[in-house]
Amino acid sequence: MKKHTYIFMIGAIFNLLFSITSAAQDQPNILWIVSEDNSPLIGAYGDEFATTPNIDQLASEGVLYQNAFAAAPVCAPSRSTLITGVWPTSMGTQHMRSTYPIPEMIKFFPRYLREAGYYTSNNVKKDYNTVDQPEAWDESSNEATYKNRKEGQPFFSVFNTTISHESSLHEPLASLAHDPEKVPIPPYHPRTPEMKHDWAQYYDKVQMMDAKVGEVLKELEASGLAENTIVFYYSDHGGVLGRSKRFMYESGLHIPLIIRFPEKYQHLAPGKAGSKTDRIVTFVDFAPTILSMAGVKIPEYMQGQAFLGEQQAESREYAPAFRGRMDERIDMSRSVRDKKYRYIRNYLPHKIYAQHIEYLWRAPSMQSWEQAYRAGELNEVQAKFWGTKPVEELYDVEADPHNVKNLAEDPQHQSILQRMRKANQQWMLDVRDVGFIPEAMIEDIAKNTTLYEYARSGVYPLKQIIRAVEEVTEGDTRKIEKHLLSENPVIRYWAATAATIHTEKAAAVKEELKKLTHDPETAVRIAAAEALYHLGEKELAVQTLNDALTVDNEMARVQAINVLETMQQDAKSALPAVKAILPDDPDNNDYDVRAARSLVEKLENN
């Protein structure tokens, strides 16, 4: 080979290496600052009572997203969405603190950044609601930082702050920076002394959280890396007082999101510094967006839409959201939000909003709210939380930011209701929503396969299930009777549940319900027992639930205790079986144990 050929080859290799190095250097550093349990109670979002100078300054230097939403109103399912770019309702990770596996092809997205040359660090919370993938991070600990990367290496770094978490309200502070007598309180909360104190203390915690955000930003400046770093600030969901975190309203789902682009990366920004955008974004969009900004190909399985970078998609019309089991309490709701309206579909409307959750009730404000309700001291808006739910809810969030005026039955809003109802149904179909499967069944399915693969295996007729659920929840006893006889256990479960929702119409199907107390699926037997209890078959119902407490399935036991708790003193004959669930270890907080403790306390103290 001639000398000039060698020179050409060496030059080509040098150019290739240089272009790779240059590309790596052109990749932006990306820093996430994540707070916990806070709605946009921030000065930059118009809250004049908040003390948030650092976040306000960040907003003046970046772009403020007016329509950013969590996937769920609670941390672990939302973080599952963030880390995968896939809806938890598609993977079976929608229930609080579950560890059901996901397919091997679904990688925690920092893994793709790491493979592209990024240094990935997480400080410190994970809580991804599934089996961990530690290989996604170069470093994940309470000391993790971008400073440990190689010189010149781009980074993706996450800093979580827990300062505003709901646990910050469990112990009242003796002195407060924010005046409880001046604190703004939403109309659904009574102004009890405890409520005012908790709200003021929460604003104090948000102020402390803001100071931590300032520390992270100052550290970035001091490192000399700010000019190459895109900064995200957001919260993992709304919160934190009762009816916000865990609930499907703006207070639980609407989050602050501010993104600052240094001059070098202004071409990626949707607007100038200090601007606002009304584009709808949701947590499922974050993973593909980061990959798009970093120049990494978005995997086809991701269900989110990039809202920045070269792979940016068209603006979405709706932000879907979901609610599954919250700690020891079973529930199921879905929601879609456009720029003006929020639609909510409650699939278990017979369950009250205020199901007792041990962790939530640690807040003095929550206890005082319940006491005021029992004393008859609440107005209609404040008392609504303690009752059962309507099947559908629709709110004009511009006119009604606190979501207290349900427009679902308003004749003038029927076209909007129908449009958003269809959008909700289509989203569930698109993602193959596994939430209709009772969790006792999910626990068994997950022993052999992932819920994502199960839903796509041909054995989960979702369209048929949704149609059946719609039919039985309308209260047509002929449809309920038909679906009680279905070969599909998921449909049998929903038909039996509908008999509880429509007890006044269910007498005609009592004999079919009795047969279901011998169903092969425990979840179906429990649902049948609940309906039979309300039809006067109390002894059979309690015995069926008593038997369910002994099965080797934690979520079946949780389901059974949830039903027993509604029976009050009629559940006393099940007390020995409930007590048998309680362990010797007082620190055991398994969800069946939490539910059992609550029921034992209620039955023994009343």
Side-chain angles (χ1 to χ4, degrees):
M1 191 175 291
K2 294 182 179 180
K3 183 177 180 181
H4 71 271
T5 305
Y6 282 112
I7 294 172
F8 174 81
M9 290 179 63
I10 291 170
I13 293 170
F14 175 81
N15 288 335
L16 176 61
L17 291 173
F18 178 79
S19 65
I20 292 172
T21 302
S22 297
Q25 291 175 344
D26 285 341
Q27 290 175 308
N29 302 320
I30 301 170
L31 174 67
W32 276 8
I33 306 174
V34 187
S35 59
E36 291 199 78
D37 299 12
N38 63 284
S39 307
L41 303 178
I42 291 167
Y45 279 86
D47 191 320
E48 297 180 356
F49 196 73
T51 308
T52 52
N54 295 291
I55 297 174
D56 297 348
Q57 178 65 29
L58 185 68
S60 72
E61 299 167 352
V63 178
L64 182 149
Y65 282 76
Q66 297 169 305
N67 289 314
F69 301 97
V74 72
C75 56
S78 272
R79 289 173 180 268
S80 179
T81 319
L82 283 165
I83 203 67
T84 62
V86 179
W87 288 106
T89 51
S90 193
M91 300 183 291
T93 59
Q94 74 274 18
H95 296 300
M96 183 62 177
R97 295 270 156 72
S98 57
T99 55
Y100 305 123
I102 60 177
E104 290 185 6
M105 70 170 184
I106 298 179
K107 309 295 184 186
F108 291 179
F109 82 87
R111 169 94 172 259
Y112 298 110
L113 295 172
R114 195 177 180 194
E115 291 171 353
Y118 272 76
Y119 186 84
T120 61
S121 67
N122 178 61
N123 186 332
V124 57
K125 188 170 183 175
K126 290 185 175 181
D127 209 10
Y128 299 139
N129 224 41
T130 186
V131 180
D132 194 15
Q133 297 180 19
E135 64 275 10
W137 305 102
D138 286 288
E139 184 183 9
S140 181
S141 71
N142 57 7
E143 301 294 331
T145 174
Y146 53 84
K147 294 180 180 180
N148 295 330
R149 78 200 193 290
K150 296 176 183 177
E151 186 175 353
Q153 183 180 13
F155 66 79
F156 171 69
S157 191
V158 181
F159 288 88
N160 294 279
T161 169
T162 63
I163 294 170
S164 55
H165 187 266
E166 76 173 303
S167 57
S168 68
L169 299 183
H170 291 170
E171 295 295 331
L173 298 176
S175 61
L176 298 171
H178 292 81
D179 187 347
E181 297 305 318
K182 296 179 180 179
V183 67
I185 291 181
Y188 49 80
H189 279 165
R191 292 192 71 92
T192 65
E194 295 85 355
M195 187 68 75
K196 290 186 290 185
H197 189 282
D198 275 6
W199 266 110
Q201 182 164 317
Y202 180 54
Y203 271 98
D204 278 12
K205 292 298 180 178
V206 170
Q207 181 177 356
M208 295 175 196
M209 176 273 291
D210 175 82
K212 180 62 177 179
V213 171
E215 290 177 15
V216 176
L217 292 172
K218 287 177 183 177
E219 186 176 52
L220 181 69
E221 291 286 345
S223 71
L225 294 167
E227 63 183 19
N228 292 314
T229 304
I230 297 172
V231 176
F232 282 59
Y233 161 71
Y234 68 91
S235 170
D236 65 348
H237 52 78
V240 64
L241 280 77
R243 197 189 178 270
S244 55
K245 180 178 179 177
R246 301 182 183 88
F247 296 93
M248 298 291 281
Y249 299 114
E250 292 297 287
S251 55
L253 292 164
H254 190 200
I255 61 161
L257 170 64
I258 297 166
I259 307 177
R260 186 180 72 184
F261 302 81
E263 185 176 351
K264 182 176 181 179
Y265 298 110
Q266 274 298 314
H267 63 282
L268 293 174
K272 297 180 181 179
S275 65
K276 298 178 181 180
T277 175
D278 68 350
R279 177 170 183 154
I280 292 176
V281 299
T282 186
F283 277 177
V284 78
D285 301 328
F286 279 41
T289 296
I290 298 302
L291 297 183
S292 176
M293 294 169 70
V296 177
K297 187 178 185 302
I298 299 170
E300 291 184 3
Y301 68 77
M302 283 192 177
Q303 296 168 343
Q305 303 170 2
F307 56 88
L308 296 168
E310 292 185 358
Q311 299 171 76
Q312 181 175 167
E314 293 184 7
S315 299
R316 58 166 64 246
E317 186 176 0
Y318 300 103
F322 61 91
R323 171 182 163 103
R325 174 181 50 74
M326 293 292 171
D327 295 353
E328 68 269 31
R329 299 302 170 200
I330 294 169
D331 209 347
M332 179 180 174
S333 298
R334 299 291 182 265
S335 178
V336 289
R337 165 74 146 81
D338 65 12
K339 292 180 180 179
K340 184 173 174 58
Y341 293 97
R342 176 169 297 284
Y343 169 84
I344 303 169
R345 176 62 158 87
N346 297 307
Y347 289 94
L348 297 172
H350 62 296
K351 294 182 179 291
I352 65 172
Y353 293 103
Q355 291 191 80
H356 187 278
I357 296 172
E358 185 273 335
Y359 200 80
L360 174 58
W361 254 254
R362 294 185 190 183
S365 53
M366 199 69 213
Q367 298 168 36
S368 74
W369 192 5
E370 182 175 18
Q371 290 165 3
Y373 167 69
R374 298 196 181 283
E377 298 169 353
L378 303 180
N379 62 34
E380 183 180 355
V381 170
Q382 296 161 354
K384 183 179 177 182
F385 181 70
W386 303 90
T388 56
K389 302 182 286 288
V391 172
E392 292 181 300
E393 299 177 66
L394 179 69
Y395 300 100
D396 180 342
V397 295
E398 292 180 354
D400 178 21
H402 294 297
N403 305 164
V404 296
K405 185 178 181 181
N406 185 6
L407 302 173
E409 296 184 1
D410 183 352
Q412 296 182 355
H413 288 83
Q414 290 309 296
S415 61
I416 296 166
L417 180 74
Q418 292 170 15
R419 169 175 63 82
M420 300 191 79
R421 179 192 295 149
K422 289 179 181 178
N424 181 60
Q425 291 173 342
Q426 189 59 54
W427 167 60
M428 292 190 298
L429 288 169
D430 289 345
V431 303
R432 304 291 300 166
D433 192 327
V434 297
F436 291 98
I437 305 172
E439 196 175 2
M441 287 179 60
I442 286 178
E443 185 174 322
D444 288 336
I445 292 167
K447 294 174 183 176
N448 301 306
T449 186
T450 69
L451 271 294
Y452 183 95
E453 292 165 314
Y454 177 84
R456 289 157 179 77
S457 66
V459 297
Y460 183 55
L462 180 57
K463 185 177 288 189
Q464 178 186 349
I465 289 169
I466 292 176
R467 184 168 58 248
V469 171
E470 297 288 345
E471 289 175 346
V472 298
T473 52
E474 289 175 0
D476 186 332
T477 53
R478 290 174 298 178
K479 295 290 178 63
I480 293 175
E481 183 173 15
K482 169 189 171 184
H483 292 307
L484 286 172
L485 302 174
S486 173
E487 294 182 358
N488 189 299
V490 176
I491 293 177
R492 294 198 301 274
Y493 164 83
W494 282 101
T497 299
T500 296
I501 297 170
H502 299 285
T503 302
E504 73 284 356
K505 300 179 181 180
V509 297
K510 183 187 286 190
E511 293 305 314
E512 285 76 11
L513 289 166
K514 286 182 178 180
K515 294 174 184 176
L516 289 187
T517 59
H518 302 287
D519 195 273
E521 290 291 344
T522 309
V524 177
R525 298 198 298 272
I526 295 170
E530 183 175 19
L532 286 166
Y533 173 80
H534 293 289
L535 291 170
E537 297 289 340
K538 294 183 178 181
E539 184 176 346
L540 175 58
V542 174
Q543 183 57 53
T544 301
L545 297 169
N546 197 69
D547 293 343
L549 294 174
T550 65
V551 302
D552 185 22
N553 184 306
E554 179 184 356
M555 288 305 136
R557 297 193 295 273
V558 169
Q559 183 187 351
I561 297 172
N562 270 241
V563 176
L564 284 166
E565 183 132 0
T566 67
M567 297 179 178
Q568 301 181 19
Q569 293 304 304
D570 287 332
K572 268 203 166 179
S573 61
L575 194 55
V578 176
K579 285 185 174 180
I581 294 171
L582 299 178
D584 294 330
D585 180 6
D587 295 325
N588 184 314
N589 278 314
D590 291 345
Y591 288 125
D592 61 337
V593 173
R594 291 191 196 187
R597 284 180 183 144
S598 175
L599 181 54
V600 169
E601 181 179 359
K602 178 178 287 188
L603 292 178
E604 290 189 337
N605 294 338
N606 293 325

